[in-house]
Amino acid sequence: MKIYLPAYRYRHFYILSGFVTSNSTSLTIDMNLRNIEQGSISDLTAGLQRSIERSIDSSPVKELDYVVAFDMSYLVSKLCKMCAGTKRGSPSGSGVPVCGYYVERRRLNERWRNYGILILAKCDVGEGVRDIYAFVKKFSSGSDKPWIAGILYGINIGAQGRDMNMRIRIDGLGIDDSFVAVVSSVNYLSSYPRTYTDEVTFSSESSTSIGGIDMEDGTAVVELFYLGSILSVKSRSTGAFMPVVVHYDVEGSSFPRSLHPVARAYKLRRSVSADELYSYVKKALTSGMPAVKLLMQNLVAGRALSALGCRGWVTEREIVASVYGNETVITTPILGRILCIYRRLYTPRASYRGYNGLNSLLKRWLEAVKECKCKSSDFSSSQGWVDRFVNCLETSGKLSEFRQCLLQNYSGNIRRLECSLMRSNPELFTALVFVELLMLSALIIGAHGASHLMAKAAGISSRDFAEMIEIEICANDFPLVKCVWHQLEDVGDVSFDGVIKLKYDEGCKGVKVQISTYDLSGATHTKFGERLLKLVMELGGCGSARDICNYAWIEEKRRLDRAFSILVANNTLLGELDRHLGSMPQEVAPPRDLFRFMLGGIVGEVRRRLGQTAQQQRLPRKLYQYVWPRHVPSCADGCHLCVQVPRMMCVYSPLHEELRVSKSASLWLLEPLCSMVQSAAET
């Protein structure tokens, strides 16, 4: 198992030694600096790295700290040798002696801490260690410690995904923190690389225009920059993603730059008017899963409610790195927050009677964001703006009509919407910027899904795939976005996750999208346009009656029905679980990768309803798989049958990728291709 850890300028970290004491409800970590000087990375490697100076100079990323990669067991053995001679026994006599690796990041000349990462290991464990636990704690805004992540290796604390009272003290660094965090047994600890794609040159070989879409293919010189890795920690009951940090493998096996001089490039361009984009969003908001997918975007949840007092990260963390002078935002999903919101949206219909359709969904979403993110802030939970938003959306066919509807009683300058509206009329501002952010998010996740469909049409393999999405939006159509996304106001360009490049232009009209999909092997694939159209039609586009995602779920349910009928005949719990899930709204069901984390809580709720304890009618976990897939769709507006690609092919981890693509928005963006079908029918 390989782990990626931050280090100071590739070279240094803090060596810790001390003790871990735990019981069923608390965990105390009491550490001291092993040496006053920081530990050296070279002490952890097999020998001197002759090329390390050259590697440092060649890194595309200039930050205060970087990441080095180690095999976990190798790292522990080296750390324990460095801690040799530590006095055994804790002051209380019950602590487990451990050795540690610690790095924190602070802003220059400030005490504010961006993050701290702590690795603790028991040194007398044998091969094949199974006891690995992890915790991630996000503190409140304004704290001097926004988050801390820890991994405990070979230390059996008996935690099973529950809250524990924690205290971390590191003598010599002035750290003495007490907090509550979920400590979970780690079943899976994996990392996903992040790359930044840059097209150096492009030579067109063929082009065609179809119904408003321009397609072009040719050869390109493509350069990839290895930005870093995101660390995923998962157990059966919970999971977390540690924020991405800049990475360089100290052994030099992952050089940060790679040049591909003979890549094959497939490009798709489309210009979209603001009214076309508004019409799609209006339709998507009344379509269940596409609506929730939009509401889960951090661009929406993290910025639309800022005027109401809910600021900062909601569903994703954002870290800014500099790539050869160009800033890029790297996002990491906040899994606990995403699950929290879904748990409040995906509830039995009887629990929210009195609301209908979109109005109900938005009000439940607003309450969920308040409960999961902004409960203790000055967030105003007034829902009046939701009623106005929904009413104007339902009665307006164009974006201009929607804005006029909202501004009926506004006495200011309608022709010139400004950021000052955030302070003078926060609810009106929220409703106005909300639709802009929904439109922009729909464009981003639609273009990303379309890029994956293009890769499938071109037959690109996982190891040879790269993508770049460029979007140009106009200030005239999105006048208020810059008020809540300050990078747009400052520089006019934003790049994030090494894939999306957004340009904010003052002097244009409409929206322009260019999707570039690369086959780094240089292989040529014929009939690309026809293959892409076939995929669109298989997913239900162009009026096709066939939808392979829906067909797959129907077939899955048919296969499960027989086994379910046998199991449920003599099992009260499974029968009640089936009825409970049947009362849940399928149209807002979470993706299955998320639902698996929610299943334990749902089963527990059903048990309480039946008056059962966890020991009564204990069932193997695998039996539940004959029940819940009958109610949770296999495609939540994006799955591997449609707009997702195989593991490690996309820069996002599978769970994050599912939230960053939309089948509905992709089919809408590629809709002009359907004119090929009409042309064929006419001939």
Side-chain angles (χ1 to χ4, degrees), residues 202-208 215-218 264:
F202 171 70
S203 178
S204 176
E205 295 181 1
S206 66
S207 61
T208 183
M215 292 195 295
E216 195 172 11
D217 68 272
R264 194 73 188 172

Side-chain angles (χ1 to χ4, degrees), residues 456 549 634-645 658 661 663:
K456 292 182 179 184
C549 300
S634 56
C635 181
D637 193 38
C639 67
H640 285 285
L641 285 177
C642 54
V643 291
Q644 280 191 267
V645 290
E658 189 162 15
V661 292
K663 172 184 173 182

Side-chain angles (χ1 to χ4, degrees), residues 430-612:
T430 300
L432 287 166
V433 79
F434 192 52
V435 75
E436 291 185 21
L437 292 167
L438 289 168
M439 290 163 60
L440 183 53
S441 294
L443 201 61
I444 290 170
I445 61 179
H448 191 204
S451 174
H452 289 180
L453 289 177
M454 290 168 63
K456 292 182 179 184
I460 305 174
S461 67
S462 297
R463 67 177 182 272
D464 296 322
F465 173 67
E467 60 184 333
M468 183 169 65
I469 298 165
E470 298 167 276
I471 298 174
E472 181 181 302
I473 63 173
C474 301
N476 292 334
D477 297 319
F478 296 83
L480 299 179
V481 168
K482 66 180 181 181
C483 305
V484 291
W485 201 354
H486 301 299
Q487 286 170 297
L488 286 179
E489 188 174 25
D490 294 339
V491 297
D493 296 308
V494 176
S495 170
F496 53 96
D497 296 318
V499 175
I500 311 294
K501 297 173 183 178
L502 188 65
K503 183 177 181 180
Y504 190 71
D505 197 335
E506 295 284 348
C508 64
K509 197 168 185 179
V511 179
K512 297 178 181 178
V513 183
Q514 176 173 288
I515 305 169
S516 300
T517 300
Y518 304 100
D519 188 336
L520 302 178
S521 71
T524 302
H525 304 275
T526 59
K527 299 183 178 180
F528 168 74
E530 295 178 21
R531 291 171 182 263
L532 183 58
L533 175 62
K534 183 179 179 182
L535 281 174
V536 169
M537 295 185 67
E538 286 181 345
L539 299 177
C542 302
S544 172
R546 178 174 173 79
D547 182 344
I548 57 175
C549 300
N550 190 50
Y551 177 81
W553 187 40
I554 292 173
E555 180 63 17
E556 180 187 26
K557 289 191 291 182
R558 186 187 68 80
R559 291 173 178 270
L560 290 173
D561 280 345
R562 183 180 178 186
F564 170 75
S565 62
I566 296 172
L567 290 170
V568 79
N570 297 304
N571 193 293
T572 307
L573 177 60
L574 291 182
E576 186 60 28
L577 176 62
D578 181 69
R579 284 187 286 274
H580 180 77
L581 290 174
S583 71
M584 308 283 261
Q586 287 183 2
E587 65 273 13
V588 296
R592 287 187 171 185
D593 279 349
L594 287 172
F595 179 83
R596 289 183 176 92
F597 293 118
M598 300 167 62
L599 179 60
I602 293 173
V603 171
E605 183 179 341
V606 172
R607 283 188 181 279
R608 287 190 292 273
R609 185 183 302 170
L610 293 173
Q612 292 184 355

Side-chain angles (χ1 to χ4, degrees), residues 3-15 38-41 44 63-70 75 101-106 114-119 147 149-151 229 231 242-248 250 319:
I3 186 170
Y4 299 85
L5 298 173
Y8 296 108
R9 303 189 183 279
Y10 300 106
R11 296 180 177 86
H12 301 296
F13 62 96
Y14 289 115
I15 308 171
Q38 295 174 0
S40 172
I41 292 298
L44 294 176
E63 272 285 339
L64 295 177
D65 41 50
Y66 302 85
V67 171
V68 289
F70 296 100
L75 172 65
Y101 180 117
Y102 179 74
V103 167
E104 65 181 25
R105 183 190 189 281
R106 297 178 185 266
N114 291 65
Y115 62 70
I117 292 184
L118 178 67
I119 308 296
W147 67 267
I151 294 177
S229 295
L231 190 66
M242 296 186 185
V244 72
V245 279
V246 178
H247 158 265
Y248 184 73
V250 74
I319 295 177

Side-chain angles (χ1 to χ4, degrees), residues 220 281 377 403 405 609:
V281 167
S377 73
R403 285 177 174 147
C405 176
R609 185 183 302 170

Side-chain angles (χ1 to χ4, degrees), residues 16 20 29 31 72 98-101 118-122 151-155:
L16 308 178
V20 171
I29 298 172
M31 307 298 293
M72 190 69 172
V98 295
C99 191
Y101 180 117
L118 178 67
I119 308 296
L120 299 177
K122 184 181 178 183
I151 294 177
L152 311 179
Y153 185 89
I155 308 167

